[in-house]
Amino acid sequence: MAFIKISEQPSLYDDLDKMSIHDLLVHINNEDKKVAVAVEQAIPQIEKLLQQIVPRMKKGGRIFYMGAGTSGRLGVLDASEIPPTFGVPPTHIIGLIAGGDTALRNAVENAEDDMERGWQELLEHNINSTDTIIGIAASGTTPYVIGALSEARKHHVLTSCITSNPDSPMAAVVDYPIEMIVGPEFVTGSSRMKSGTGQKLILNMISTSVMIQLGRVKGNRMVNMQLTNQKLVDRGTRMIVEELGLEYNHAKRILLMYGSVKKAIDAFRGNDVK
């Protein structure tokens, strides 16, 4: 049976160039409403993957996102937001994109067609059996990603993927495929739309759940966030005020002394600071 890319089937809408702005917005929004449902249906697959990732991360394992174009950019985006949000080193979750950092802003010709480059990049990061590779490709056919996943699996590295098509070549080479079937795009084949939105939602779920499981959140607060601006210093100070009942300036002083909400609270409760 031939592999059919649902994500590249003709749009359910025609004559887009003749639509009013209002109609364009309404129809795009109607299509976007389908994304959350598609992600919900993939939760059992996401859960199975996370049950494998968390124990590996507790042993020092890392997550690598790999993709090309929009998919690669979304992986890099999610990875780059983890250190400031959860206070972990940038080596915990790493985003790799076909064509390297240049491809974040510009298309790099033929980069995604290199079947061997992805694995070479993983070797440069000293990939090992405690790590996890998550390939991201709406089509499920990107050679850069498939090549890396295939080699990783041969070396007993945990593998997964996020795709918008069932039974794709990419899903066939991983341990835990995540198939998020959002249907045809509003603009035919434009996977930056529904597919990209769904990928972002799933990446949020994966990285946030992992960080919570690793103890980087207390209650519902980002107690390990980096204090990179005054807004975050104020947020952290108010967390300490609420948790310890201190006066605002006192709380801010110990927050800045220890560099994170968690460290400040632990130090205060351990009588290391007044």
Side-chain angles (χ1 to χ4, degrees):
M1 183 176 173
F3 172 58
I4 298 175
K5 298 179 184 178
I6 296 175
S7 61
E8 296 186 15
Q9 293 298 297
S11 171
L12 301 179
Y13 304 82
D14 202 357
D15 296 323
L16 305 188
D17 52 326
K18 298 177 182 177
M19 287 185 185
S20 67
I21 290 176
H22 175 79
D23 286 346
L24 287 170
L25 298 177
V26 168
H27 293 321
I28 290 172
N29 181 244
N30 284 336
E31 287 302 299
D32 286 344
K33 291 174 184 177
K34 300 175 182 179
V35 178
V37 176
V39 172
E40 180 182 16
Q41 292 172 346
I43 285 178
Q45 296 175 323
I46 303 169
E47 182 180 6
K48 289 178 181 177
L49 172 63
L50 284 169
Q51 288 170 343
Q52 298 297 319
I53 290 179
V54 171
R56 285 171 168 78
M57 294 286 282
K58 288 181 177 179
K59 294 178 182 177
R62 301 163 293 174
I63 296 174
F64 289 85
Y65 297 139
M66 302 194 73
T70 297
S71 298
R73 294 181 187 105
L74 288 169
V76 172
L77 171 64
D78 191 74
S80 67
E81 291 177 338
I82 300 309
T85 303
F86 299 105
V88 297
T91 51
H92 275 48
I93 300 181
I94 299 169
L96 299 178
I97 180 171
D101 286 355
T102 300
L104 292 174
R105 293 181 179 273
N106 303 283
V108 177
E109 189 173 358
N110 299 322
E112 69 177 71
D113 298 324
D114 190 335
M115 196 82 167
E116 298 178 357
R117 182 57 190 154
W119 177 244
Q120 292 169 355
E121 291 176 1
L122 291 173
L123 290 176
E124 291 167 8
H125 284 85
N126 299 310
I127 193 74
N128 66 76
S129 59
T130 65
D131 296 329
T132 302
I133 315 300
I134 301 176
I136 313 168
S139 67
T141 61
T142 306
Y144 168 83
V145 179
I146 293 175
L149 290 169
S150 298
E151 285 300 315
R153 197 176 188 189
K154 291 177 186 176
H155 288 78
H156 309 292
V157 180
L158 181 67
T159 56
S160 178
C161 69
I162 303 170
T163 178
S164 297
N165 291 294
D167 305 317
S168 68
M170 183 172 69
V173 301
V174 303
D175 301 304
Y176 293 93
I178 297 170
E179 297 174 323
M180 168 203 61
I181 314 304
V182 294
E185 296 288 359
F186 181 70
V187 175
T188 299
S190 182
S191 57
R192 59 179 284 273
M193 301 188 76
K194 288 192 296 182
S195 291
T197 300
Q199 289 168 354
K200 176 58 177 165
L201 292 176
I202 292 174
L203 293 172
N204 284 348
M205 295 167 81
I206 291 172
S207 57
T208 303
S209 297
V210 166
M211 289 296 117
I212 292 171
Q213 290 287 303
L214 294 180
R216 308 306 296 182
V217 170
K218 177 177 173 56
N220 58 16
R221 303 294 182 86
M222 298 183 290
V223 294
N224 290 285
M225 64 186 178
Q226 293 178 2
L227 307 175
T228 54
N229 56 53
Q230 288 303 310
K231 177 191 73 175
L232 297 180
V233 170
D234 178 67
R235 181 187 297 170
T237 300
R238 294 182 187 281
M239 289 184 198
I240 295 172
V241 168
E242 182 177 322
E243 184 74 16
L244 299 178
L246 301 179
E247 184 266 339
Y248 183 91
N249 287 334
H250 187 181
K252 183 176 181 179
R253 179 173 64 81
I254 65 171
L255 172 64
L256 296 176
M257 181 186 302
Y258 285 91
S260 80
V261 174
K262 185 177 188 303
K263 289 179 181 178
I265 290 174
D266 289 347
F268 187 88
R269 287 181 169 160
N271 295 317
D272 294 332
V273 62
K274 293 296 184 184

